[in-house]
Amino acid sequence: MILTALVDNSRLENRTDLTVERGLSLHVKTMGRQILFDAGSSQAFCDNAEALNIRIQDVDAAVISHRHHDHCNGVTHFLDRNSKAQVYFRECEETDYCFKAFGFKNDIGIDKALFVQAKRQLSFVNKTTEIFPNVFLVTNLSSRYEQPKGNKYLYADSGQGFKPDTFGHELLMVIKESDGLIVFTGCAHSGVLNMVETAVELFPNTRIKAVVGGFHLVGLPLFNSIGGSKEDIEAIGKSLLTYPIDKLYTGHCTGMKAFGLLKRVLGEKLEHFPTGRSVVI
């Protein structure tokens, strides 16, 4: 697998030509397929893809991890450039999403106009679905571990007023290559440990070559605070060490303070994955 970060909150120091935004978009090339995992919040991932010699029109499918704008509002720009690929969402009721803290409220939901723009290219999954051979979208996520404490600022409203978001709109992507799994978390609002546990339950006794995506360990993004305590973050790192994981590539909503705490526990297993970085897994 060749994995490239098209958009993240930061970029490689030597790639000042690439656009940065608070969002996530990854390009995956594996087993003769190209997959876009998340699409950021604008056309930035498209512009960056061109600068990285990746052709958006050649992508075979797009997978959206959840319905927050920083992962899915770029889909409209994807559809402008690619008329063949299906775009996969988790099926859920029509809902508004917002961030609320200290009297401040901000809409963070998907631009619903995209559901009208290209219906024929949209697909909705409500169970584990194999979209290509050995490429799985998973909706039934483990609840063995606590969800991230930073979720307390995130709310959803399906017509009866805003309530804490339960993240019934989130999915997990797992790709099974001949030598192991790659687990894609999006923001891991359900908890990175729960997502890893889900992959282990689906594919027992299988090596996890990599876990990729945000881990939502940030508290208040504006202040780059951590969600919970230092001990909470370190405990997550120690729990991750109990799983058969070779590497973890993260950025976006993990938060740099939390990344530093995890790095102390996970060492070389954990790497930052900024815009413009490519790795062979």
Side-chain angles (χ1 to χ4, degrees), residues 146-164:
E146 182 182 16
Q147 289 190 355
K149 288 184 166 59
N151 283 350
K152 68 182 180 179
Y153 303 112
L154 303 174
Y155 292 80
D157 178 12
S158 56
Q160 299 178 340
F162 279 101
K163 299 178 182 179

Side-chain angles (χ1 to χ4, degrees), residues 175-183 200 203-210 244-247 281:
I175 296 178
K176 187 176 187 293
E177 295 187 324
S178 60
D179 56 348
L181 308 176
I182 302 91
V183 178
V200 167
F203 302 99
N205 305 312
T206 305
R207 168 194 180 200
I208 300 176
K209 294 200 294 178
I245 301 169
D246 292 349
K247 299 286 288 191
I281 298 175

Side-chain angles (χ1 to χ4, degrees), residues 215-231:
F215 300 162
H216 203 73
L217 300 178
V218 71
L220 290 167
L222 182 63
F223 301 105
N224 191 30
S225 62
I226 60 174
S229 67
K230 172 185 173 183
E231 291 73 23

Side-chain angles (χ1 to χ4, degrees), residues 1-4 177 209 247 249 273 277-281:
M1 174 183 292
I2 301 174
L3 178 67
T4 304
E177 295 187 324
K209 294 200 294 178
K247 299 286 288 191
Y249 298 96
F273 203 61
R277 185 175 180 195
S278 288
V279 293
V280 178
I281 298 175

Side-chain angles (χ1 to χ4, degrees), residues 164-196:
D165 195 343
T166 59
F167 300 99
H169 53 107
E170 186 171 47
L171 58 75
L172 172 69
M173 184 169 78
V174 180
I175 296 178
K176 187 176 187 293
E177 295 187 324
S178 60
D179 56 348
L181 308 176
I182 302 91
V183 178
F184 292 83
T185 65
C187 260
H189 288 292
S190 297
V192 61
L193 290 173
N194 286 323
M195 291 186 154
V196 171

Side-chain angles (χ1 to χ4, degrees), residues 109-148:
I110 190 171
D111 179 0
K112 295 176 184 176
L114 77 86
F115 292 126
V116 178
Q117 179 181 348
K119 287 185 177 179
R120 69 175 184 82
Q121 281 182 256
L122 305 183
S123 294
F124 301 90
V125 299
N126 59 14
K127 61 182 179 181
T128 297
T129 303
E130 192 173 7
I131 61 171
F132 298 126
N134 294 310
V135 178
F136 301 89
L137 308 185
V138 185
T139 59
N140 186 20
L141 304 178
S142 173
S143 58
R144 176 179 175 182
Y145 299 94
E146 182 182 16
Q147 289 190 355

